Amino acid sequence: MRGHVIVRRWSISFVIARLSRLTDTWEHNTNLSNIKSSTNQFPENCSQREKCKTQPINTRNSHLRKCCPIGESLSIAHDDQNRAMCVSTSRNVNIKVINVTLYDNCIEDMESELSLPLEIGNPCNTSFLYNDEEDLFLVVQDGSLLVMDPYANDTYSVEKKYCIDVENSSGTTYAIVCITAVEDHINRSQIVIVAILMLISIPCLVLVSYVHFRIKELKSVHGMTLSIMSGCLATGYFLYSLVHIFKLDERGFGYAVQFFILSYYFWFFCLCCNTSFNVWIHISLNKPKTQLITYLYMGSYCSVSFIGSSILVILTYQKGLPGMPSYFIQGYTESIRESQRYFIPPVSTLLLLSFFVMAGSFFGFQKLKRRGIPLASKQDVDISPLCNITVYEEVKKDAKCISLLGLILISTWLLEIVTFYSPGPQIYLILMDMVNGVQGVFVLLIFLIIRRRRRIIFRWWSDRGSLVLEKLELEAFN
């Protein structure tokens, strides 16, 4: 069976073979100092050998690469296509991480074991597959895979692009070594351009957040929700830009970025819900917001947004998946697509729910028109059966702004999903990332360009906040 080639499937087709040599790797003819064979006697040490110029070095970026998320392992179905997928399991990967020094024709084990953090995902486009029943492989101190031939062909190779996992049914450990790896589809200059666009968005978002928090006349439930939503997106963009411009550790910052970006979409959903509640309850039923109801709304929105985002981040961390969102990523392989399981599906669900909620608000406005509910003027606010015309017009303008932002978010997100799951030309992916990077500009234009808000901001600025205009719904915050 040696040298027999079988074609199987791992995300996309890969080749399974037991080979004595691999191309494009460190490759040496060697007698292994710590491995004995019934047909060969290996040297006791490597003192007479020449040390290799390139040695594995343990750093903070050294990781043991696991194919499937934590709590899952490989399941290889031996059918016509020989599919391999990740399934839930109780099996653990038990791979030795050893400290070695590489010599010409010799490997010296320093007799000290290390523990490396896991990095999840299969980086291969096409690959070789080894198993521990027929082949010998270990992980060395820098996280590379050391593949050795136990059949006295006297070869070893050190592989950077690989992943290891356990087959669920048999318990056999497999090492997947890349022939061709999934390369970055976007170069650094393009990443920096999108990061700069995000930095341009940040002042816009901060301005929207500040004026809705600072100006009393804008400090409604809608204003506070919009303020926190803008602040979350600004923080997420700031961290994301730092990571890519200064090449910071993505795993350390990735979960924070994921939390704030997810919070942004949660707060947008709450913004839509607030409009619907205003239309169907506080206007249609003429139920004014009391101080208790106001705080109840804000408490509920905070709980939904922050707790929901935290749960998704915790699940991502527990599975060992990268927290960084799907920007700049295309799902070439199943493992890349799985890495976004706690980002893309939740955001898609939130935007879909937001669409339905805003559709409900639209029908609520239509119902008000058909019923012809009388609206009180500003002078008639004490007439209890009537709705305040100011509140009605304010909610109507808010609904138009939210609908416009929602249209932009849903459109760009649909295109982001298309470019992720059906990898197309890079130019389309770059355009989508650029549009996502300037969302802060859209938020600024949509929510501050309308006449009434612009007038309030200009009057507040000229009066430095001393002018009191109109008393709106959130007197509790003032």
Side-chain angles (χ1 to χ4, degrees), residues 69-346:
I70 296 173
E72 301 179 20
S73 66
L74 288 175
S75 176
I76 300 178
H78 300 284
D79 52 15
D80 292 338
Q81 294 182 336
N82 289 305
R83 297 177 180 273
M85 62 186 68
C86 294
V87 297
S88 298
T89 185
S90 58
R91 295 184 182 275
N92 296 319
V93 177
N94 296 315
I95 294 295
K96 278 181 145 185
V97 180
I98 59 174
N99 192 4
V100 300
T101 302
L102 300 179
Y103 293 83
D104 183 27
N105 298 325
C106 194
I107 301 172
E108 184 177 14
D109 186 357
M110 308 307 292
E111 298 184 356
S112 61
E113 293 188 12
L114 303 174
S115 177
L116 295 180
L118 294 178
E119 182 176 310
I120 304 299
N122 175 18
C124 301
N125 198 352
T126 56
S127 47
F128 293 115
L129 186 67
Y130 295 86
N131 67 74
D132 63 355
E133 294 180 346
E134 299 176 340
D135 306 285
L136 183 59
F137 46 82
L138 298 168
V139 176
V140 297
Q141 62 265 34
D142 68 341
S144 299
L145 184 71
L146 179 64
V147 182
M148 296 171 284
D149 186 0
Y151 291 95
N153 285 338
D154 301 341
T155 61
Y156 75 83
S157 62
V158 180
E159 301 289 346
K160 298 288 187 181
K161 298 291 186 179
Y162 76 95
C163 70
I164 290 178
D165 220 311
V166 178
E167 207 281 324
N168 184 50
S169 59
S170 65
T172 303
T173 301
Y174 285 90
I176 298 174
V177 177
C178 298
I179 300 174
T180 59
V182 177
E183 301 296 337
D184 294 335
H185 65 280
I186 182 172
N187 59 46
R188 175 165 171 76
S189 62
Q190 293 169 324
I191 291 177
V192 171
I193 289 173
V194 177
I196 290 174
L197 291 177
M198 290 182 175
L199 291 177
I200 294 174
S201 288
I202 291 173
C204 300
L205 293 165
V206 171
L207 178 60
V208 173
S209 181
Y210 176 76
V211 297
H212 282 86
F213 184 80
R214 180 67 178 84
I215 301 176
K216 183 187 297 185
E217 289 74 26
L218 299 179
K219 205 173 181 182
S220 61
V221 172
H222 169 85
M224 292 298 295
T225 304
L226 179 59
S227 177
I228 300 174
M229 183 189 81
S230 301
C232 288
L233 185 60
T235 306
Y237 276 177
F238 178 71
L239 295 175
Y240 203 96
S241 301
L242 289 182
V243 168
H244 287 93
I245 291 177
F246 298 104
K247 297 182 178 180
L248 303 178
D249 181 19
E250 288 193 8
R251 297 190 69 84
F253 285 89
Y255 299 114
V257 174
Q258 181 191 15
F259 173 82
F260 285 110
I261 298 296
L262 284 172
S263 296
Y264 166 69
Y265 288 103
F266 270 107
W267 279 107
F268 176 75
F269 172 68
C270 293
L271 203 61
C272 297
C273 291
N274 186 66
T275 300
S276 185
F277 293 151
N278 282 330
V279 174
W280 286 98
I281 299 176
H282 301 290
I283 294 178
S284 181
L285 302 179
N286 193 25
K287 300 280 188 182
K289 288 182 179 177
T290 64
Q291 181 176 345
L292 177 61
I293 293 177
T294 294
Y295 281 107
L296 182 62
Y297 273 130
M298 288 307 301
S300 300
Y301 295 159
C302 287
S303 300
V304 169
S305 300
F306 293 135
I307 294 178
S309 301
S310 299
I311 290 174
L312 292 171
V313 172
I314 290 171
L315 290 173
T316 304
Y317 177 78
Q318 286 181 340
K319 288 291 184 179
L321 298 171
M324 197 63 73
S326 61
Y327 306 126
F328 310 134
I329 299 174
Q330 283 184 288
Y332 287 108
T333 67
E334 185 66 27
S335 92
I336 296 177
R337 292 191 285 270
E338 282 293 299
S339 71
Q340 296 296 312
R341 66 168 69 171
Y342 297 115
F343 181 73
I344 290 181

Side-chain angles (χ1 to χ4, degrees), residues 270-435:
C270 293
L271 203 61
C272 297
C273 291
N274 186 66
T275 300
S276 185
F277 293 151
N278 282 330
V279 174
W280 286 98
I281 299 176
H282 301 290
I283 294 178
S284 181
L285 302 179
N286 193 25
K287 300 280 188 182
K289 288 182 179 177
T290 64
Q291 181 176 345
L292 177 61
I293 293 177
T294 294
Y295 281 107
L296 182 62
Y297 273 130
M298 288 307 301
S300 300
Y301 295 159
C302 287
S303 300
V304 169
S305 300
F306 293 135
I307 294 178
S309 301
S310 299
I311 290 174
L312 292 171
V313 172
I314 290 171
L315 290 173
T316 304
Y317 177 78
Q318 286 181 340
K319 288 291 184 179
L321 298 171
M324 197 63 73
S326 61
Y327 306 126
F328 310 134
I329 299 174
Q330 283 184 288
Y332 287 108
T333 67
E334 185 66 27
S335 92
I336 296 177
R337 292 191 285 270
E338 282 293 299
S339 71
Q340 296 296 312
R341 66 168 69 171
Y342 297 115
F343 181 73
I344 290 181
V347 171
S348 302
T349 302
L350 287 171
L351 289 178
L352 181 63
L353 292 175
S354 299
F355 173 79
F356 288 138
V357 171
M358 290 308 297
S361 300
F362 171 78
F363 289 114
F365 280 114
Q366 296 301 311
K367 182 180 179 181
L368 289 176
K369 282 186 178 181
R370 289 195 303 270
R371 288 174 55 185
I373 292 181
L375 299 172
S377 64
K378 298 176 186 177
Q379 291 79 17
D380 300 327
V381 292
D382 294 332
I383 303 177
S384 58
L386 304 180
C387 298
N388 190 340
I389 185 65
T390 304
V391 175
Y392 174 81
E393 292 296 333
E394 189 71 18
V395 172
K396 190 174 181 180
K397 290 176 182 177
D398 292 341
K400 290 180 179 178
C401 293
I402 295 170
S403 298
L404 181 56
L405 179 61
L407 181 63
I408 295 173
L409 290 182
I410 292 174
S411 300
T412 55
W413 186 254
L414 288 175
L415 293 173
E416 180 78 21
I417 290 176
V418 169
T419 56
F420 180 80
Y421 286 102
S422 301
Q426 292 184 13
I427 183 62
Y428 298 118
L429 184 65
I430 298 300
L431 289 175
M432 290 307 99
D433 291 334
M434 292 176 68
V435 171

Side-chain angles (χ1 to χ4, degrees), residues 447-463:
F447 287 98
L448 294 189
I449 202 173
I450 60 176
R451 181 179 178 183
R452 185 180 181 278
R453 281 192 173 80
R454 191 170 66 248
R455 177 172 58 86
I456 291 175
I457 294 170
F458 287 160
R459 291 179 67 180
W460 172 81
W461 176 254
S462 61
D463 203 63

Side-chain angles (χ1 to χ4, degrees), residues 434-449:
M434 292 176 68
V435 171
N436 281 322
V438 294
Q439 280 189 40
V441 178
F442 294 144
V443 173
L444 176 68
L445 294 177
I446 291 172
F447 287 98
L448 294 189
I449 202 173

